Amino acid sequence: MHEQVERPPRAGESLDGPSQHVVWLRRAAGPLFSVGMLCLALFALHLLAHEVNYHQVRQYVQSLSHERLGLAVLFTLAGYAVMTMYDRLALASIGRRLPWRRVGLISFISYAFSNAVGMSLLVSGSIRYRFYVQNGLGNGDIARVVLFCTSSFWLGLLALTGTTLLWVPLPPELPLAALSQPLGAALVALPLAWLAGGLLHRPLRVWRWRVRLPSVGTGLKQILVGACDWGLAAAVLYVLMPDALNNGFGHFLAIFVIAQIIGLVSHVPGGLGVFEAVMLAGFGATGNAELTAPILGALAAYRVIYYLLPLCVAAVLVLRREAQGWRRQALLAPWFTGLLPSFFAGLTLVCGAVLLFSGATRALPARMAILGELLPLSVLEVSHLLASVIGMLLLILARGLQRRLDAAYWLTLVLLLAGAVFSLLKGIDYEEAALMTLLALALAPAHRLFHRRASLFSTSFGMGWVVAIVATLGCAAWLVVFSYKHVDYSADLWWQFSLHHGGAPRALRALVAAAVTGMLFAAASLIRPQKLHREPPGEAELAQALPLIKQFPSAQAHLALMGDKTLLFDDEHKAFVMFDTIGRSWVAMGDPVGADEAARRELVWTFLEQCERAGGWPVFYQVSPANLDLYLEVGLNLLKIGEEARVRLAGFNLDGKSKKVLRNTVNKLQREGLRLEIVPADAVADLLPTLRPVSDAWLHDKHVREKRFSLGAFDPRYLTRTPMALVWQGDQLVAFANLLLTDTREEASVDLMRHRPDAPAGIMDFLFVELMQWARAEGYRWFNLGMAPLAGLHSRRHAPLWNRFGAMVFGRGERFYNFRGLQRYKQKFDPQWEPRYMAVPRGIALPMILANVASLIAGGLGGVVRR
């Protein structure tokens, strides 16, 4: 029943797969490209606006009339209202209905965050996933909704851009002016091709995928909604632009949509810098301060109204929902609370950037005059410096909040309040102070979300986070240069202290202090030793694990005693994770073992971070429903891999018509002299010479080798650590199985089961029945018969793709494994079936992870295709 084959090589032992350098380059390529585009955009802005100073830009923003600002806000509201139509059309296309108010809320929050942060497919897709899961949508439905919304977004942009270029050609002085008509025709052709595809009655085959395009009517709605969305976004900026550039909305729209496409393609968050540079170049503002300053002022106001205000409103809506959950004395559902740490991390990142940018720009003269009368110059200088240092620390702490670190929570609270105070002391920046204070008030009651006691220095910062921090610091440096471009820089500037003429020295000192703070943290993180142990456990480690195994409710924890898996303990040795590695997959067997819930939860995070440092994929194989929140919390996806059969011993008997065959088999073998004997662990060593021939004969008869990882093997070191069940016929040993028993009497099970090829028919039935009756007499509550792989997966229309694939393999994969037969065999003991899952990272690595796990369990790829 448990066929065994040899284990594959460990990861790190020459298995196929890319080298660490190649893996690093793949992970770094996207962020490095974004940084490169941002640097080019900032350099272009420097060239285009070299005659403009910060005061001129601020003066234009302050001169904007209330009518213009109100009209911009009105167009913004209309734009976000139109965005909700993306989700309504998407849900209608998959035949799902949700209340309008709920759909509108989900759509608004997702677009408010994705527009401001960038990476729309990742950010809005993640937010939609969190919200729509709670509303009963499966993974497949959510993926189709996200794909529909994304395609609508781009179809509308392409259609609007193409039509505009055909209608209003680009100005002759622009590089692409000669190609504006052909480019417009090409862009319009793409939405037209999409509509034409809707006329087909069969799916299109695109490489390996089959794509069914929506109907012509639905396609037209996608294009119209997308075009209306982008038209309203352009209208927001149009009403803020100076009158000197008013050559008609069509001329403005042509430049706007081209700038948006370039900003989106750059992958810079929000197209920051890239969009501004293209807009300046499009309006021919090079070297013209009277034209450049108003355009930059309009763009700054546009960023605030169209991006920052909706983000603040979305943040308030999320916090309001969370506050309602706290008033009910319980946090919201796990899908929502899982979003909150990342949400708070994002807002902390924004606050850190605000402090850095504020420290890099000029303070308002009227406010500085008030401060000069109230405070000594030394207080103002120190406050300016510390505000920027706090800004850098908040950028770093944002990662700790995302990782749910307790220390990051307390430090962030303190630094937000300190940042609010220093913002007031350095320039009466009450707007910044209010932002910091509101976030601190929102964060204060959320302590229960940040439960991890790990060190911030041990937290891994992925390439994306490093790039975000460095890019923010780079933008702050550019702002310093832009704000004080007419200052005569010299070595003496560093030591100039003045109330009205010391802005540039203060900004430079603050920028250097922030940069030094970041470098010191990076150095401290690099010199901190990292625990990346992947060695098999020694006797001392197994001795430490044994008490935890015995007190754990699941008998599966005994697999750690095999000694073939690395044991990762928490700092206090209250829990451990057993895992092995193959390729880039780090596969943990079962749930973390231990009675301490906090230690088990922390181990999942620790395991995840070690995988990230090594560039690996974290996988938890065969986990139980009771612990799913441990994996959802760290952002892993869950795949059902089968069902485990557990027999409730209090109600187990052989009475009734359904047990007639089983009862007759057991009675027959008892009459033939078969009997069960339970041998304690300390007596197993003397029995090994007797057990070995039975095991070898079984392996030879089944034509298999030993398996490992999820099953035990005939290893003397392992077998001598567990009791043994023996089946005798007279003086001859005919079968044996090692017992996995918990001290809590919660569960009993068996692992390695072998019998002689000439043993009486029904020997396994006899062994199971006798063991269940013995375990019931000993006071055990459950007897675990093990998992039936892929059982319980259904191939329904709206089921996730994995479930449908698993159901197909379960029904047609008898050539490779006896899926149905194994489930039917266990079913005759009337067990209770409980689902088992595999927690895996989201993304395109899933096929490789599944292949790695199958190879690890089967003992190599050859074992995967053999019965």
Side-chain angles (χ1 to χ4, degrees):
M1 189 155 148
H2 294 285
E3 300 177 357
Q4 316 285 323
V5 283
E6 293 178 0
R7 70 177 296 281
R10 294 179 180 274
E13 304 174 5
S14 114
L15 279 166
D16 52 359
S19 66
Q20 291 294 328
H21 298 291
V22 174
V23 171
W24 186 88
L25 286 174
R26 288 178 180 173
R27 297 167 65 192
L32 289 177
F33 174 75
S34 299
V35 170
M37 291 296 297
L38 177 61
C39 293
L40 287 174
L42 293 178
F43 180 70
L45 279 175
H46 174 72
L47 295 178
L48 293 169
H50 65 278
E51 296 295 334
V52 179
N53 59 49
Y54 173 75
H55 177 72
Q56 293 172 306
V57 176
R58 187 175 65 191
Q59 188 176 27
Y60 177 79
V61 174
Q62 292 173 340
S63 69
L64 287 170
S65 65
H66 295 298
E67 289 78 9
R68 286 197 177 196
L69 294 174
L71 197 57
V73 171
L74 184 63
F75 281 133
T76 299
L77 292 174
Y80 278 88
V82 168
M83 289 182 202
T84 63
M85 294 301 299
Y86 287 133
D87 289 75
R88 291 206 68 183
L89 291 175
L91 290 171
S93 70
I94 63 171
R96 301 299 296 266
R97 287 182 174 272
L98 291 176
W100 162 253
R101 182 177 178 182
R102 193 177 308 169
V103 175
L105 178 65
I106 295 172
S107 178
F108 172 73
I109 292 176
S110 64
Y111 280 116
F113 276 91
S114 63
N115 286 347
V117 178
M119 301 174 290
S120 59
L121 183 61
L122 177 63
V123 175
S124 66
S126 175
I127 293 174
R128 281 189 175 92
Y129 177 82
R130 300 274 186 177
F131 280 88
Y132 280 132
V133 161
Q134 180 67 9
N135 286 277
L137 271 68
N139 291 346
D141 288 338
I142 297 172
R144 286 190 286 272
V145 168
V146 172
L147 183 61
F148 187 96
C149 293
T150 304
S151 60
S152 303
F153 174 90
W154 277 101
L155 285 169
L157 178 58
L158 294 176
L160 184 63
T161 305
T163 304
T164 304
L165 291 179
L166 291 173
W167 174 36
V168 183
L170 292 173
E173 61 271 14
L174 292 184
L176 295 177
L179 299 175
S180 61
Q181 297 281 342
L183 180 61
L187 293 178
V188 169
L190 293 173
L192 290 177
W194 182 268
L195 293 177
L199 296 173
L200 300 177
H201 298 290
R202 63 180 184 276
L204 292 176
R205 188 172 186 84
V206 182
W207 193 36
R208 298 180 180 177
W209 294 280
R210 299 178 67 191
V211 181
R212 183 179 294 277
L213 298 182
S215 65
V216 175
T218 301
L220 278 173
K221 292 177 183 177
Q222 287 183 276
I223 295 171
L224 289 175
V225 169
C228 186
D229 169 26
W230 284 107
L232 288 168
V236 176
L237 180 57
Y238 181 70
V239 300
L240 298 172
M241 293 290 282
D243 294 332
L245 295 175
N246 190 1
N247 295 323
F249 183 68
H251 176 267
F252 168 82
L253 185 60
I255 299 173
F256 176 85
V257 289
I258 290 292
Q260 285 287 1
I261 289 178
I262 296 175
L264 290 169
V265 172
S266 71
H267 289 287
V268 175
L272 185 63
V274 179
F275 174 71
E276 284 77 3
V278 178
M279 289 295 291
L280 286 176
F283 285 103
T286 307
N288 187 349
E290 294 182 358
L291 196 58
T292 305
I295 294 176
L296 288 176
L299 290 169
Y302 173 71
R303 288 283 182 184
V304 172
I305 294 174
Y306 193 76
Y307 292 99
L308 187 58
L309 285 182
L311 177 65
C312 293
V313 173
V316 170
L317 290 175
V318 174
L319 291 175
R320 178 174 171 269
R321 294 193 65 175
E322 180 62 12
Q324 291 173 348
W326 282 318
R327 285 198 297 269
R328 292 193 298 267
Q329 300 299 315
L331 287 175
L332 296 179
W335 63 272
F336 191 68
T337 56
L339 176 66
L340 286 174
S342 296
F343 167 75
F344 282 122
L347 291 184
T348 302
L349 197 70
V350 170
C351 287
V354 167
L355 286 177
L356 284 176
F357 296 161
S358 175
T361 54
R362 295 175 182 269
L364 294 175
R367 298 183 184 182
M368 293 298 291
I370 296 174
L371 278 179
E373 297 177 0
L374 298 177
L375 298 174
L377 180 61
S378 59
V379 173
L380 187 148
E381 294 283 354
V382 171
S383 299
H384 195 107
L385 185 78
L386 291 180
S388 293
V389 171
I390 289 174
M392 173 56 71
L393 291 175
L394 288 177
L395 296 183
I396 296 170
L397 288 171
R399 176 61 165 171
L401 290 180
Q402 189 191 41
R403 292 299 197 186
R404 300 173 180 252
L405 298 184
D406 177 73
Y409 166 82
W410 290 112
L411 283 173
T412 301
L413 269 184
V414 172
L415 291 181
L416 284 172
L417 296 176
V421 172
F422 290 135
S423 293
L424 295 174
L425 294 179
K426 75 180 179 66
I428 316 183
D429 294 322
Y430 57 86
E431 301 92 345
E432 298 170 22
L435 179 64
M436 308 291 163
T437 304
L438 286 175
L439 180 56
L441 291 174
L443 188 61
H447 183 213
R448 70 188 77 181
L449 295 174
F450 305 94
H451 50 77
R452 300 186 58 216
R453 305 289 180 177
S455 169
L456 183 63
F457 292 102
S458 64
T459 300
S460 60
F461 282 74
M463 182 59 64
W465 275 93
V466 174
V467 167
I469 293 173
V470 173
T472 303
L473 188 63
C475 290
W478 183 87
L479 278 174
V480 170
V481 175
F482 177 74
S483 300
Y484 304 100
K485 60 172 60 180
H486 299 300
V487 173
D488 184 17
Y489 291 94
S490 65
D492 296 335
L493 193 66
W494 296 98
W495 311 108
Q496 290 182 10
F497 300 92
S498 170
L499 180 63
H500 297 292
H501 304 290
R506 277 194 293 272
L508 287 172
R509 288 190 292 266
L511 180 66
V512 171
V516 169
T517 301
M519 288 188 290
L520 288 176
F521 178 83
S525 300
L526 288 173
I527 64 176
R528 183 180 177 88
Q530 297 182 356
K531 298 183 292 184
L532 292 174
H533 304 302
R534 287 189 289 167
E535 298 296 328
E539 291 298 325
E541 283 186 290
L542 292 176
Q544 290 176 330
L546 188 58
L548 300 175
I549 293 170
K550 291 298 185 181
Q551 292 298 318
F552 197 60
S554 174
Q556 177 184 266
H558 285 77
L559 290 174
L561 301 178
M562 268 292 296
D564 62 333
K565 291 173 281 291
T566 301
L567 303 186
L568 174 65
F569 287 88
D570 70 304
D571 292 337
E572 299 179 1
H573 284 77
K574 293 182 178 179
F576 70 87
V577 167
M578 48 178 156
F579 70 96
D580 203 350
T581 54
I582 178 169
R584 287 185 60 191
S585 299
W586 292 45
V587 188
M589 181 62 214
D591 299 303
V593 178
D596 191 292
E597 181 65 23
R600 297 172 67 244
R601 190 176 298 274
E602 178 60 30
L603 269 174
V604 175
W605 282 101
T606 303
F607 183 73
L608 180 74
E609 289 168 352
Q610 291 206 7
C611 293
E612 288 179 344
R613 293 193 194 102
W617 299 315
V619 181
F620 287 85
Y621 177 75
Q622 206 170 320
V623 297
S624 63
N627 295 289
L628 296 187
D629 63 309
L630 299 180
Y631 315 109
L632 292 173
E633 185 178 271
V634 299
L636 295 178
N637 195 23
L638 296 169
L639 303 177
K640 185 177 179 180
I641 57 174
E643 294 185 337
E644 192 170 78
R646 302 176 74 216
V647 178
R648 185 182 290 275
L649 294 176
F652 176 74
N653 58 63
L654 296 180
D655 299 334
K657 184 177 180 180
S658 62
K659 300 286 183 58
K660 179 180 179 181
V661 175
L662 194 61
R663 183 171 62 247
N664 291 340
T665 299
V666 173
N667 292 336
K668 175 178 176 294
L669 294 181
Q670 285 177 342
R671 289 193 299 270
E672 292 180 3
L674 269 68
R675 57 185 174 85
L676 177 72
E677 179 187 4
I678 306 298
V679 178
D682 53 11
V684 172
D686 296 334
L687 287 171
L688 290 179
T690 306
L691 302 178
R692 172 70 75 176
V694 176
S695 176
D696 292 344
W698 185 87
L699 291 171
H700 182 267
D701 181 63
K702 300 294 183 181
H703 304 290
V704 296
R705 300 171 294 171
E706 295 281 11
K707 281 188 179 180
R708 303 248 177 176
F709 189 72
S710 63
L711 297 172
F714 195 94
D715 186 333
R717 294 173 301 173
Y718 171 57
L719 296 179
T720 54
R721 294 188 175 103
T722 61
M724 190 70 67
L726 308 177
V727 178
W728 299 90
Q729 188 172 27
D731 295 331
Q732 185 182 42
L733 179 67
V734 294
F736 71 88
N738 70 316
L739 294 178
L740 310 181
L741 306 175
T742 62
D743 288 349
T744 60
R745 308 280 172 165
E746 177 68 19
E747 186 175 88
S749 185
V750 295
D751 181 24
L752 189 74
M753 294 178 292
R754 305 284 164 84
H755 60 80
R756 295 173 59 90
D758 58 352
I763 183 66
M764 286 293 101
D765 293 348
F766 177 85
L767 176 61
F768 276 126
V769 169
E770 291 291 305
L771 280 175
M772 290 179 198
Q773 293 176 339
W774 172 85
R776 183 179 58 188
E778 292 292 321
Y780 289 91
R781 296 184 59 217
W782 296 91
F783 192 91
N784 195 325
L785 293 171
M787 189 177 71
L790 303 182
L793 275 70
H794 302 288
S795 183
R796 298 191 177 100
R797 178 185 175 188
H798 295 295
L801 179 62
W802 164 254
N803 285 40
R804 285 182 282 174
F805 173 76
M808 181 192 70
V809 174
F810 182 80
R812 305 181 184 180
E814 295 297 300
R815 178 179 177 274
F816 305 106
Y817 192 84
N818 189 22
F819 294 105
R820 287 188 179 276
L822 183 59
Q823 184 196 35
R824 284 195 295 264
Y825 177 82
K826 296 179 180 182
Q827 182 60 43
K828 63 184 178 182
F829 296 98
D830 288 339
Q832 294 185 17
W833 293 96
E834 187 174 273
R836 288 294 178 265
Y837 299 88
M838 181 165 60
V840 297
R842 296 186 176 92
I844 60 176
L846 180 59
M848 184 61 70
I849 291 173
L850 295 175
N852 285 341
V853 173
S855 179
L856 182 63
I857 295 171
L861 292 176
V864 177
V865 297
R866 289 196 298 266
R867 291 181 66 116

